[in-house]
Amino acid sequence: MIRVGIVGFGTIGKRIADAVAAQDDMKISGVLKVTPDYEAKIAVERGFKVYTLPDGLDKFKKAGIEPAGTIEDLIEASDIIVDASPEDVGRENKEKYYIKFNKPVIFQGGEDADVAEVSFNALANFEEAAGRRYVRVVSCNTTGITRVLSSLMLNGIKIKKARIFIARRGADPKEHKKGPINDVVPNPVTVPSHHGPDAQTVLKNIDIVTMAVAVPVTIMHMHMAYLELDGSYTKEAVIEAFAKTPRIFLADVGAGFQSLAQIIEYARDLGRPRGDFPEVAVFRDSVTVNGNELYLMYGVHQESIVVPENIDAVRAVLGLAPKWRSIEKTDKSLKLITEGKRYG
Amino acid sequence: MIRVGIVGFGTIGKRIADAVAAQDDMKISGVLKVTPDYEAKIAVERGFKVYTLPDGLDKFKKAGIEPAGTIEDLIEASDIIVDASPEDVGRENKEKYYIKFNKPVIFQGGEDADVAEVSFNALANFEEAAGRRYVRVVSCNTTGITRVLSSLMLNGIKIKKARIFIARRGADPKEHKKGPINDVVPNPVTVPSHHGPDAQTVLKNIDIVTMAVAVPVTIMHMHMAYLELDGSYTKEAVIEAFAKTPRIFLADVGAGFQSLAQIIEYARDLGRPRGDFPEVAVFRDSVTVNGNELYLMYGVHQESIVVPENIDAVRAVLGLAPKWRSIEKTDKSLKLITEGKRYG
């Protein structure tokens, strides 16, 4: 059993911790939490050992949580670290702590690409992470883009250009201070947004340009994608590619999926933890082929899409399983949609 | 003085009425209102004669508004009608009333294109409306697209393809029953949205495809545009085209315009009626040229962008002024931004 330490137990970290706990080849060695808040108490309730920063030990004791030790103790107790700290804090942790230990670390997409040797997406480049010391799972929007493009490429559909236009959720459900309210914010106002170049850290030879705005939504991102294909393909071939690629869900208007809200309602009805939807939700009715042009819309659940990717990254780095076996194992253990999916 | 009758005194109609009243070559003969609500009282306060449907006369009297007559009386008293009724009601009015009178009628973009002989945008095809009986001013998003593309073409920049991705405002400020809240809705889920084909009713030879989603915003639409130009142009040439074309406003992040909200705040600070912003607001920092590709973001104020177009449509149909003189007259009378603009 590989011992996985989770540094940062916020939106992403707590989900990865639960996902690790659901695997049969890895377990949680502990989680690092900086503040003894309600999320720290959730960690205790889950039975995870809670570590903190050296100067936070007293704070935790006062809050009634007995810390298992400091971040260095957590690293010692782990075979691999998944760092899910806020943006840029992962890099600080690397310089301050990780560099001293001979342990592999998985970072998140909030860090710049050069924090790691490889930027990772399971469908796209699982094998490149093998034996690496530092790997970075790309961010939510970038994971969405990479999955959609990979699902086409894995099925023989060649892409010449990808131009993707993103309506970003303004904040996560728990972020009470972020906006916008009743506004659309160029985010960023410059072109390209970071998502295009970021996707190119994984899919190195594809021409990808992205633009993004933030909207008053907390539930999911929405992408409007315009692809120029290299050759002529039928709409059926595109739908078929999405249908059989893991971690892609085809949402039909006829089945009631008229918007992002219904994707999340479906996740809630399925009894998924926290109402999460780690699959990319492609609106089937939006898939339109016109000559060598492909148009589609899809939703990206910002809180959970990277969770299965992190599990696979752990396996990829440590050589615990080959690509498709890892992806299938992850999907089954997390009860993602596996019907009709081809693993390999 | 041309007598203009306004049929429908809602979001668009009441603004067109005020704009007509601000001209020195036309005046309001009266406005048609179906319900004696607060907007009807605004019409009375403005000094407009209020007409209603034949079966509504008593209702108005009971509400303390003495109607000047029926819709047929309004048509009789007018040289031209601007119909700003809700979607599809313009066509019903045409069949029921307009067809009986020999008066020209301007319809709005909520009607299908075949309600009229010509779909109209002042920059694009002013002259085509001359002497026509039925003309249709295209809708807000289509007006935005048509203006942006026309401003390039009028300045010698050739367009090969326009792919435009729209985050539509979900509802107008006064629409208390419409959504979405906390959702992004494919609107429509199919490709293209009607805006592309609609813009092609004015710009007949341009390849335009649009996709649209609705977002929880009431203030403005946001467009993310990707254009393939026919030839190589500099970013400066594009900016120059926008700078000198009437009804385009270049919004700089450095001047505080970071989002749509600040465009509307500017309109309010300028003391514009109802806080309207009839110009297309192009985010200057978003304008990006990469080879023959042009990217930009712009805001479209759904409540007011078509107002100056309707004034020009009246002049175009009746031959009251040539294109650029009409556009300049309209812009000055409505206190739009005229600095640096070239009229002709």
Side-chain angles (χ1 to χ4, degrees), chain A residues 161 163 165 182-184 186 188-189 191 209 211-212 216-219 226 228 258-261 285-286 288 293 295-297, chain B residues 161 163 165 182-184 186 188-189 191 209 211-212 216-219 222 226 228 258-261 285-286 288 293 295-297:
Chain A
K161 272 187 186 183
R163 300 291 178 263
F165 304 85
N182 202 19
D183 196 4
V184 180
V189 71
V191 182
V209 178
M211 291 175 86
V217 166
T218 64
I219 57 169
Y226 164 66
E228 268 185 45
Q258 302 198 40
S259 72
L260 298 181
D285 307 79
S286 75
T288 303
E293 298 181 342
Y295 299 85
L296 69 146
M297 294 186 196
Chain B
K161 271 186 185 184
R163 299 292 178 264
F165 305 85
N182 202 20
D183 196 5
V184 180
V189 73
V191 182
V209 178
M211 290 176 87
V217 166
T218 64
I219 57 169
M222 176 73 96
Y226 163 67
E228 268 184 46
Q258 302 197 40
S259 73
L260 297 182
D285 307 78
S286 74
T288 303
E293 297 182 341
Y295 298 85
L296 70 146
M297 293 187 198

Short mmCIF file of all heavy atoms in Angstrom, two decimals, chain A residues 161 163 165 182-184 186 188-189 191 209 211-212 216-219 226 228 258-261 285-286 288 293 295-297, chain B residues 161 163 165 182-184 186 188-189 191 209 211-212 216-219 222 226 228 258-261 285-286 288 293 295-297:
data_model
loop_
_atom_site.label_atom_id
_atom_site.label_comp_id
_atom_site.label_asym_id
_atom_site.label_seq_id
_atom_site.Cartn_x
_atom_site.Cartn_y
_atom_site.Cartn_z
N LYS A 161 -6.32 22.97 -35.64
CA LYS A 161 -6.39 24.18 -34.80
C LYS A 161 -7.50 23.98 -33.79
O LYS A 161 -8.57 23.47 -34.13
CB LYS A 161 -6.85 25.38 -35.64
CG LYS A 161 -5.81 26.17 -36.35
CD LYS A 161 -6.48 27.41 -36.95
CE LYS A 161 -5.50 28.18 -37.82
NZ LYS A 161 -6.11 29.42 -38.35
N ARG A 163 -9.69 26.48 -31.21
CA ARG A 163 -9.97 27.82 -30.71
C ARG A 163 -11.10 27.65 -29.70
O ARG A 163 -12.21 27.27 -30.07
CB ARG A 163 -10.40 28.76 -31.84
CG ARG A 163 -9.32 28.92 -32.93
CD ARG A 163 -8.11 29.70 -32.40
NE ARG A 163 -7.04 29.84 -33.37
CZ ARG A 163 -5.96 29.04 -33.43
NH1 ARG A 163 -5.84 28.01 -32.60
NH2 ARG A 163 -5.01 29.28 -34.31
N PHE A 165 -13.39 29.02 -26.34
CA PHE A 165 -13.92 30.23 -25.72
C PHE A 165 -14.63 29.83 -24.44
O PHE A 165 -15.57 29.04 -24.48
CB PHE A 165 -14.83 30.94 -26.72
CG PHE A 165 -14.08 31.22 -28.01
CD1 PHE A 165 -13.98 30.25 -29.01
CD2 PHE A 165 -13.36 32.40 -28.16
CE1 PHE A 165 -13.23 30.47 -30.17
CE2 PHE A 165 -12.61 32.63 -29.31
CZ PHE A 165 -12.53 31.67 -30.31
N ASN A 182 -23.60 39.76 -11.54
CA ASN A 182 -24.22 40.52 -12.63
C ASN A 182 -23.19 41.24 -13.51
O ASN A 182 -23.32 42.44 -13.79
CB ASN A 182 -25.23 41.53 -12.08
CG ASN A 182 -26.24 41.94 -13.15
OD1 ASN A 182 -26.42 41.23 -14.15
ND2 ASN A 182 -26.89 43.06 -12.97
N ASP A 183 -22.19 40.51 -13.90
CA ASP A 183 -21.15 41.10 -14.73
C ASP A 183 -20.48 39.98 -15.53
O ASP A 183 -20.51 38.81 -15.13
CB ASP A 183 -20.11 41.79 -13.83
CG ASP A 183 -19.21 42.77 -14.60
OD1 ASP A 183 -19.43 42.97 -15.80
OD2 ASP A 183 -18.30 43.33 -13.97
N VAL A 184 -19.90 40.35 -16.66
CA VAL A 184 -19.05 39.44 -17.42
C VAL A 184 -17.67 40.10 -17.48
O VAL A 184 -17.56 41.24 -17.90
CB VAL A 184 -19.59 39.18 -18.84
CG1 VAL A 184 -18.66 38.23 -19.60
CG2 VAL A 184 -21.00 38.62 -18.78
N PRO A 186 -13.75 40.04 -18.67
CA PRO A 186 -12.65 39.46 -19.45
C PRO A 186 -11.62 38.91 -18.47
O PRO A 186 -11.19 39.64 -17.57
CB PRO A 186 -12.11 40.64 -20.25
CG PRO A 186 -13.28 41.57 -20.39
CD PRO A 186 -14.01 41.45 -19.07
N PRO A 188 -8.42 36.45 -18.69
CA PRO A 188 -7.92 37.83 -18.74
C PRO A 188 -8.45 38.55 -19.97
O PRO A 188 -9.04 37.93 -20.86
CB PRO A 188 -6.42 37.62 -18.89
CG PRO A 188 -6.33 36.40 -19.75
CD PRO A 188 -7.47 35.52 -19.34
N VAL A 189 -8.21 39.87 -20.02
CA VAL A 189 -8.65 40.65 -21.18
C VAL A 189 -7.73 40.39 -22.38
O VAL A 189 -8.11 40.61 -23.52
CB VAL A 189 -8.71 42.15 -20.84
CG1 VAL A 189 -7.32 42.74 -20.67
CG2 VAL A 189 -9.52 42.95 -21.88
N VAL A 191 -5.28 38.08 -25.01
CA VAL A 191 -5.39 36.82 -25.75
C VAL A 191 -3.98 36.31 -26.03
O VAL A 191 -3.12 37.09 -26.46
CB VAL A 191 -6.16 37.04 -27.07
CG1 VAL A 191 -6.33 35.73 -27.82
CG2 VAL A 191 -7.51 37.70 -26.81
N VAL A 209 -5.57 28.11 -29.13
CA VAL A 209 -5.72 29.47 -28.61
C VAL A 209 -7.03 29.53 -27.83
O VAL A 209 -8.05 29.00 -28.28
CB VAL A 209 -5.71 30.53 -29.73
CG1 VAL A 209 -5.91 31.93 -29.15
CG2 VAL A 209 -4.40 30.48 -30.52
N MET A 211 -9.73 32.01 -25.23
CA MET A 211 -10.14 33.29 -24.65
C MET A 211 -11.10 32.96 -23.50
O MET A 211 -11.83 31.96 -23.58
CB MET A 211 -10.91 34.15 -25.66
CG MET A 211 -10.08 34.68 -26.79
SD MET A 211 -11.11 35.57 -28.02
CE MET A 211 -11.16 37.21 -27.29
N ALA A 212 -11.11 33.80 -22.47
CA ALA A 212 -11.95 33.47 -21.32
C ALA A 212 -12.58 34.70 -20.69
O ALA A 212 -11.97 35.77 -20.63
CB ALA A 212 -11.13 32.72 -20.27
N PRO A 216 -21.13 35.08 -13.44
CA PRO A 216 -21.64 34.89 -12.07
C PRO A 216 -22.21 33.49 -11.86
O PRO A 216 -23.43 33.32 -11.72
CB PRO A 216 -22.74 35.95 -11.94
CG PRO A 216 -22.63 36.81 -13.14
CD PRO A 216 -21.96 36.00 -14.20
N VAL A 217 -21.36 32.51 -11.83
CA VAL A 217 -21.76 31.12 -11.73
C VAL A 217 -20.76 30.44 -10.81
O VAL A 217 -19.58 30.77 -10.83
CB VAL A 217 -21.73 30.47 -13.14
CG1 VAL A 217 -21.81 28.97 -13.08
CG2 VAL A 217 -22.86 31.03 -14.01
N THR A 218 -21.24 29.49 -10.00
CA THR A 218 -20.32 28.75 -9.14
C THR A 218 -20.22 27.28 -9.51
O THR A 218 -19.36 26.58 -8.99
CB THR A 218 -20.73 28.82 -7.65
OG1 THR A 218 -21.99 28.16 -7.49
CG2 THR A 218 -20.83 30.25 -7.14
N ILE A 219 -21.11 26.80 -10.38
CA ILE A 219 -21.22 25.35 -10.51
C ILE A 219 -20.23 24.69 -11.46
O ILE A 219 -19.67 23.65 -11.16
CB ILE A 219 -22.66 24.90 -10.84
CG1 ILE A 219 -23.16 25.57 -12.12
CG2 ILE A 219 -23.58 25.19 -9.68
CD1 ILE A 219 -24.48 24.96 -12.63
N TYR A 226 -14.25 25.57 -31.08
CA TYR A 226 -14.26 25.60 -32.54
C TYR A 226 -12.95 24.96 -32.98
O TYR A 226 -11.87 25.48 -32.69
CB TYR A 226 -14.36 27.05 -33.02
CG TYR A 226 -14.00 27.26 -34.46
CD1 TYR A 226 -14.79 26.73 -35.48
CD2 TYR A 226 -12.87 27.99 -34.82
CE1 TYR A 226 -14.45 26.93 -36.81
CE2 TYR A 226 -12.54 28.20 -36.15
CZ TYR A 226 -13.32 27.67 -37.14
OH TYR A 226 -13.00 27.85 -38.46
N GLU A 228 -10.58 23.20 -36.07
CA GLU A 228 -10.36 22.88 -37.47
C GLU A 228 -9.68 21.53 -37.52
O GLU A 228 -8.61 21.34 -36.93
CB GLU A 228 -9.46 23.93 -38.13
CG GLU A 228 -10.25 25.06 -38.78
CD GLU A 228 -9.35 26.03 -39.53
OE1 GLU A 228 -8.45 25.57 -40.27
OE2 GLU A 228 -9.54 27.23 -39.32
N GLN A 258 -30.30 20.28 -20.28
CA GLN A 258 -30.40 21.52 -21.05
C GLN A 258 -29.35 22.54 -20.65
O GLN A 258 -29.21 23.57 -21.30
CB GLN A 258 -31.79 22.12 -20.88
CG GLN A 258 -32.86 21.14 -21.33
CD GLN A 258 -34.18 21.81 -21.58
OE1 GLN A 258 -34.24 22.90 -22.14
NE2 GLN A 258 -35.24 21.15 -21.17
N SER A 259 -28.68 22.31 -19.55
CA SER A 259 -27.70 23.30 -19.07
C SER A 259 -26.78 22.64 -18.07
O SER A 259 -26.95 21.47 -17.70
CB SER A 259 -28.42 24.48 -18.42
OG SER A 259 -28.96 24.08 -17.18
N LEU A 260 -25.81 23.40 -17.58
CA LEU A 260 -24.86 22.88 -16.59
C LEU A 260 -25.58 22.46 -15.31
O LEU A 260 -25.19 21.49 -14.65
CB LEU A 260 -23.82 23.95 -16.26
CG LEU A 260 -22.93 24.40 -17.42
CD1 LEU A 260 -21.92 25.44 -16.93
CD2 LEU A 260 -22.20 23.21 -18.04
N ALA A 261 -26.62 23.21 -14.94
CA ALA A 261 -27.30 22.94 -13.67
C ALA A 261 -27.80 21.50 -13.62
O ALA A 261 -27.79 20.86 -12.56
CB ALA A 261 -28.46 23.92 -13.48
N ASP A 285 -25.99 17.55 -28.48
CA ASP A 285 -26.71 18.33 -29.49
C ASP A 285 -25.87 19.48 -30.04
O ASP A 285 -26.19 20.04 -31.08
CB ASP A 285 -28.00 18.88 -28.91
CG ASP A 285 -28.85 17.80 -28.27
OD1 ASP A 285 -28.54 17.39 -27.12
OD2 ASP A 285 -29.79 17.32 -28.91
N SER A 286 -24.83 19.86 -29.32
CA SER A 286 -23.99 20.96 -29.80
C SER A 286 -22.93 20.50 -30.79
O SER A 286 -22.34 21.32 -31.51
CB SER A 286 -23.30 21.65 -28.61
OG SER A 286 -22.23 20.84 -28.12
N THR A 288 -21.31 19.69 -33.87
CA THR A 288 -21.68 20.07 -35.23
C THR A 288 -20.43 19.99 -36.11
O THR A 288 -19.39 20.56 -35.77
CB THR A 288 -22.23 21.51 -35.25
OG1 THR A 288 -23.35 21.57 -34.35
CG2 THR A 288 -22.67 21.93 -36.65
N GLU A 293 -14.67 21.69 -40.07
CA GLU A 293 -14.88 22.40 -38.81
C GLU A 293 -15.71 21.57 -37.85
O GLU A 293 -16.70 20.94 -38.26
CB GLU A 293 -15.59 23.73 -39.05
CG GLU A 293 -14.80 24.70 -39.93
CD GLU A 293 -15.53 26.02 -40.13
OE1 GLU A 293 -16.76 26.07 -39.88
OE2 GLU A 293 -14.89 26.99 -40.52
N TYR A 295 -17.67 22.02 -34.09
CA TYR A 295 -18.12 22.90 -33.01
C TYR A 295 -18.70 22.04 -31.88
O TYR A 295 -19.38 21.06 -32.15
CB TYR A 295 -19.24 23.83 -33.49
CG TYR A 295 -18.86 24.76 -34.61
CD1 TYR A 295 -18.91 24.35 -35.94
CD2 TYR A 295 -18.47 26.07 -34.34
CE1 TYR A 295 -18.58 25.22 -36.97
CE2 TYR A 295 -18.15 26.95 -35.37
CZ TYR A 295 -18.20 26.51 -36.68
OH TYR A 295 -17.86 27.38 -37.70
N LEU A 296 -18.43 22.43 -30.65
CA LEU A 296 -19.10 21.76 -29.53
C LEU A 296 -19.06 22.62 -28.28
O LEU A 296 -18.24 23.54 -28.17
CB LEU A 296 -18.50 20.39 -29.24
CG LEU A 296 -17.09 20.31 -28.66
CD1 LEU A 296 -16.99 19.11 -27.70
CD2 LEU A 296 -16.07 20.15 -29.77
N MET A 297 -19.97 22.31 -27.36
CA MET A 297 -19.98 22.93 -26.04
C MET A 297 -19.82 21.84 -24.99
O MET A 297 -20.39 20.76 -25.14
CB MET A 297 -21.33 23.60 -25.76
CG MET A 297 -21.65 24.78 -26.63
SD MET A 297 -23.20 25.55 -26.03
CE MET A 297 -23.62 26.54 -27.47
N LYS B 161 -13.55 34.87 -42.52
CA LYS B 161 -14.43 34.06 -41.66
C LYS B 161 -14.63 34.79 -40.36
O LYS B 161 -13.67 35.36 -39.81
CB LYS B 161 -13.73 32.76 -41.25
CG LYS B 161 -13.88 31.58 -42.15
CD LYS B 161 -13.24 30.38 -41.46
CE LYS B 161 -13.23 29.16 -42.37
NZ LYS B 161 -12.70 27.98 -41.68
N ARG B 163 -16.03 33.84 -36.53
CA ARG B 163 -16.55 32.84 -35.60
C ARG B 163 -16.74 33.56 -34.27
O ARG B 163 -15.75 33.99 -33.67
CB ARG B 163 -15.57 31.67 -35.46
CG ARG B 163 -15.31 30.93 -36.78
CD ARG B 163 -16.55 30.17 -37.25
NE ARG B 163 -16.37 29.48 -38.53
CZ ARG B 163 -16.75 29.99 -39.70
NH1 ARG B 163 -17.29 31.18 -39.78
NH2 ARG B 163 -16.60 29.29 -40.80
N PHE B 165 -18.50 33.91 -30.37
CA PHE B 165 -18.96 33.11 -29.24
C PHE B 165 -19.53 34.07 -28.21
O PHE B 165 -18.84 34.95 -27.72
CB PHE B 165 -17.79 32.28 -28.71
CG PHE B 165 -17.19 31.45 -29.82
CD1 PHE B 165 -16.24 31.96 -30.69
CD2 PHE B 165 -17.69 30.18 -30.07
CE1 PHE B 165 -15.76 31.22 -31.76
CE2 PHE B 165 -17.21 29.42 -31.14
CZ PHE B 165 -16.24 29.95 -31.98
N ASN B 182 -27.16 31.21 -11.48
CA ASN B 182 -26.08 30.26 -11.22
C ASN B 182 -26.06 29.09 -12.21
O ASN B 182 -25.97 27.92 -11.81
CB ASN B 182 -26.17 29.72 -9.79
CG ASN B 182 -24.83 29.17 -9.31
OD1 ASN B 182 -23.79 29.51 -9.87
ND2 ASN B 182 -24.84 28.31 -8.32
N ASP B 183 -26.12 29.43 -13.47
CA ASP B 183 -26.12 28.38 -14.50
C ASP B 183 -25.62 29.01 -15.81
O ASP B 183 -25.70 30.22 -16.00
CB ASP B 183 -27.56 27.86 -14.69
CG ASP B 183 -27.62 26.54 -15.45
OD1 ASP B 183 -26.55 25.97 -15.75
OD2 ASP B 183 -28.75 26.07 -15.72
N VAL B 184 -25.08 28.16 -16.66
CA VAL B 184 -24.75 28.57 -18.02
C VAL B 184 -25.57 27.68 -18.93
O VAL B 184 -25.49 26.45 -18.83
CB VAL B 184 -23.24 28.42 -18.33
CG1 VAL B 184 -22.94 28.85 -19.76
CG2 VAL B 184 -22.40 29.24 -17.34
N PRO B 186 -26.70 26.53 -22.73
CA PRO B 186 -26.56 26.58 -24.18
C PRO B 186 -27.81 27.21 -24.76
O PRO B 186 -28.92 26.79 -24.43
CB PRO B 186 -26.43 25.11 -24.58
CG PRO B 186 -25.88 24.44 -23.36
CD PRO B 186 -26.51 25.17 -22.19
N PRO B 188 -28.89 28.80 -28.35
CA PRO B 188 -29.37 27.43 -28.30
C PRO B 188 -28.22 26.43 -28.16
O PRO B 188 -27.05 26.82 -28.30
CB PRO B 188 -30.02 27.27 -29.67
CG PRO B 188 -29.14 28.07 -30.57
CD PRO B 188 -28.71 29.26 -29.74
N VAL B 189 -28.57 25.16 -27.93
CA VAL B 189 -27.54 24.12 -27.84
C VAL B 189 -27.01 23.76 -29.23
O VAL B 189 -25.91 23.24 -29.36
CB VAL B 189 -28.09 22.87 -27.10
CG1 VAL B 189 -29.08 22.10 -27.98
CG2 VAL B 189 -26.97 21.95 -26.63
N VAL B 191 -25.75 24.48 -33.25
CA VAL B 191 -24.84 25.41 -33.92
C VAL B 191 -25.28 25.51 -35.38
O VAL B 191 -25.54 24.48 -36.00
CB VAL B 191 -23.38 24.89 -33.84
CG1 VAL B 191 -22.42 25.88 -34.50
CG2 VAL B 191 -23.00 24.65 -32.38
N VAL B 209 -20.29 32.27 -38.35
CA VAL B 209 -20.90 31.23 -37.52
C VAL B 209 -20.83 31.70 -36.07
O VAL B 209 -19.81 32.23 -35.62
CB VAL B 209 -20.19 29.87 -37.68
CG1 VAL B 209 -20.83 28.82 -36.75
CG2 VAL B 209 -20.25 29.38 -39.12
N MET B 211 -21.98 30.86 -31.81
CA MET B 211 -22.48 29.96 -30.75
C MET B 211 -22.84 30.85 -29.57
O MET B 211 -22.18 31.88 -29.35
CB MET B 211 -21.39 28.98 -30.29
CG MET B 211 -21.03 27.93 -31.31
SD MET B 211 -19.64 26.88 -30.72
CE MET B 211 -20.50 25.63 -29.79
N ALA B 212 -23.83 30.44 -28.80
CA ALA B 212 -24.25 31.31 -27.70
C ALA B 212 -24.66 30.51 -26.46
O ALA B 212 -25.25 29.44 -26.58
CB ALA B 212 -25.41 32.19 -28.14
N PRO B 216 -26.02 34.35 -16.02
CA PRO B 216 -26.83 35.10 -15.04
C PRO B 216 -26.41 36.57 -14.96
O PRO B 216 -25.82 37.01 -13.96
CB PRO B 216 -26.55 34.39 -13.72
CG PRO B 216 -25.79 33.17 -14.05
CD PRO B 216 -25.13 33.41 -15.36
N VAL B 217 -26.72 37.31 -15.97
CA VAL B 217 -26.30 38.70 -16.09
C VAL B 217 -27.46 39.45 -16.72
O VAL B 217 -28.15 38.91 -17.58
CB VAL B 217 -25.04 38.79 -16.98
CG1 VAL B 217 -24.75 40.22 -17.41
CG2 VAL B 217 -23.83 38.20 -16.27
N THR B 218 -27.69 40.68 -16.28
CA THR B 218 -28.75 41.48 -16.90
C THR B 218 -28.20 42.69 -17.66
O THR B 218 -28.96 43.35 -18.37
CB THR B 218 -29.75 42.03 -15.85
OG1 THR B 218 -29.08 42.93 -14.98
CG2 THR B 218 -30.39 40.91 -15.04
N ILE B 219 -26.91 42.99 -17.51
CA ILE B 219 -26.46 44.31 -17.98
C ILE B 219 -26.08 44.39 -19.46
O ILE B 219 -26.42 45.34 -20.14
CB ILE B 219 -25.33 44.88 -17.10
CG1 ILE B 219 -24.13 43.94 -17.04
CG2 ILE B 219 -25.85 45.18 -15.72
CD1 ILE B 219 -22.90 44.58 -16.41
N MET B 222 -21.76 39.72 -23.85
CA MET B 222 -20.32 39.75 -24.14
C MET B 222 -20.04 38.82 -25.32
O MET B 222 -20.48 37.66 -25.32
CB MET B 222 -19.53 39.28 -22.92
CG MET B 222 -18.04 39.19 -23.15
SD MET B 222 -17.22 40.79 -23.24
CE MET B 222 -16.65 40.94 -21.55
N TYR B 226 -13.48 35.61 -33.05
CA TYR B 226 -12.29 35.08 -33.71
C TYR B 226 -12.52 35.26 -35.20
O TYR B 226 -13.44 34.67 -35.77
CB TYR B 226 -12.13 33.60 -33.34
CG TYR B 226 -11.19 32.82 -34.24
CD1 TYR B 226 -9.83 33.10 -34.23
CD2 TYR B 226 -11.66 31.80 -35.06
CE1 TYR B 226 -8.96 32.38 -35.04
CE2 TYR B 226 -10.80 31.08 -35.87
CZ TYR B 226 -9.45 31.37 -35.86
OH TYR B 226 -8.59 30.67 -36.66
N GLU B 228 -10.93 35.32 -39.16
CA GLU B 228 -9.84 35.08 -40.11
C GLU B 228 -9.91 36.17 -41.15
O GLU B 228 -10.92 36.33 -41.83
CB GLU B 228 -10.00 33.71 -40.78
CG GLU B 228 -9.25 32.61 -40.04
CD GLU B 228 -9.32 31.28 -40.78
OE1 GLU B 228 -9.12 31.26 -42.02
OE2 GLU B 228 -9.62 30.29 -40.11
N GLN B 258 -12.57 47.31 -16.78
CA GLN B 258 -12.12 45.93 -16.64
C GLN B 258 -13.21 44.93 -16.95
O GLN B 258 -12.94 43.73 -17.03
CB GLN B 258 -11.61 45.71 -15.22
CG GLN B 258 -10.48 46.67 -14.90
CD GLN B 258 -9.68 46.22 -13.71
OE1 GLN B 258 -9.41 45.04 -13.54
NE2 GLN B 258 -9.30 47.16 -12.89
N SER B 259 -14.43 45.40 -17.07
CA SER B 259 -15.54 44.47 -17.31
C SER B 259 -16.74 45.25 -17.84
O SER B 259 -16.71 46.48 -17.94
CB SER B 259 -15.92 43.76 -16.02
OG SER B 259 -16.58 44.66 -15.15
N LEU B 260 -17.82 44.53 -18.15
CA LEU B 260 -19.03 45.17 -18.64
C LEU B 260 -19.61 46.13 -17.62
O LEU B 260 -20.16 47.18 -17.97
CB LEU B 260 -20.07 44.09 -18.98
CG LEU B 260 -19.70 43.11 -20.08
CD1 LEU B 260 -20.86 42.13 -20.32
CD2 LEU B 260 -19.36 43.84 -21.38
N ALA B 261 -19.51 45.78 -16.34
CA ALA B 261 -20.12 46.60 -15.29
C ALA B 261 -19.60 48.04 -15.36
O ALA B 261 -20.34 48.99 -15.10
CB ALA B 261 -19.83 45.99 -13.92
N ASP B 285 -7.69 46.13 -25.02
CA ASP B 285 -6.61 45.20 -24.64
C ASP B 285 -6.84 43.79 -25.17
O ASP B 285 -5.92 42.98 -25.19
CB ASP B 285 -6.48 45.15 -23.11
CG ASP B 285 -6.34 46.55 -22.50
OD1 ASP B 285 -7.35 47.26 -22.39
OD2 ASP B 285 -5.21 46.93 -22.19
N SER B 286 -8.06 43.50 -25.56
CA SER B 286 -8.35 42.16 -26.09
C SER B 286 -8.01 42.04 -27.57
O SER B 286 -7.90 40.93 -28.10
CB SER B 286 -9.83 41.81 -25.88
OG SER B 286 -10.65 42.53 -26.80
N THR B 288 -6.23 41.40 -30.59
CA THR B 288 -4.99 40.65 -30.79
C THR B 288 -4.93 40.17 -32.23
O THR B 288 -5.88 39.57 -32.73
CB THR B 288 -4.96 39.42 -29.84
OG1 THR B 288 -5.09 39.90 -28.50
CG2 THR B 288 -3.66 38.64 -29.98
N GLU B 293 -5.15 36.11 -38.18
CA GLU B 293 -6.21 35.93 -37.19
C GLU B 293 -6.37 37.19 -36.35
O GLU B 293 -5.39 37.81 -35.94
CB GLU B 293 -5.86 34.77 -36.25
CG GLU B 293 -5.75 33.43 -36.95
CD GLU B 293 -5.47 32.29 -35.99
OE1 GLU B 293 -5.00 32.56 -34.86
OE2 GLU B 293 -5.71 31.13 -36.36
N TYR B 295 -8.47 38.47 -32.86
CA TYR B 295 -9.29 38.13 -31.70
C TYR B 295 -9.73 39.42 -31.01
O TYR B 295 -8.94 40.37 -30.91
CB TYR B 295 -8.46 37.33 -30.69
CG TYR B 295 -7.94 36.01 -31.18
CD1 TYR B 295 -6.74 35.92 -31.89
CD2 TYR B 295 -8.64 34.83 -30.94
CE1 TYR B 295 -6.26 34.71 -32.34
CE2 TYR B 295 -8.16 33.61 -31.38
CZ TYR B 295 -6.96 33.55 -32.08
OH TYR B 295 -6.48 32.34 -32.52
N LEU B 296 -10.95 39.44 -30.53
CA LEU B 296 -11.37 40.57 -29.69
C LEU B 296 -12.60 40.21 -28.86
O LEU B 296 -13.29 39.24 -29.16
CB LEU B 296 -11.67 41.82 -30.52
CG LEU B 296 -12.90 41.82 -31.43
CD1 LEU B 296 -13.49 43.23 -31.48
CD2 LEU B 296 -12.50 41.38 -32.83
N MET B 297 -12.79 41.00 -27.80
CA MET B 297 -13.98 40.89 -26.95
C MET B 297 -14.71 42.22 -26.99
O MET B 297 -14.07 43.28 -26.97
CB MET B 297 -13.58 40.64 -25.50
CG MET B 297 -12.94 39.31 -25.22
SD MET B 297 -12.74 39.11 -23.41
CE MET B 297 -11.52 37.80 -23.38
#
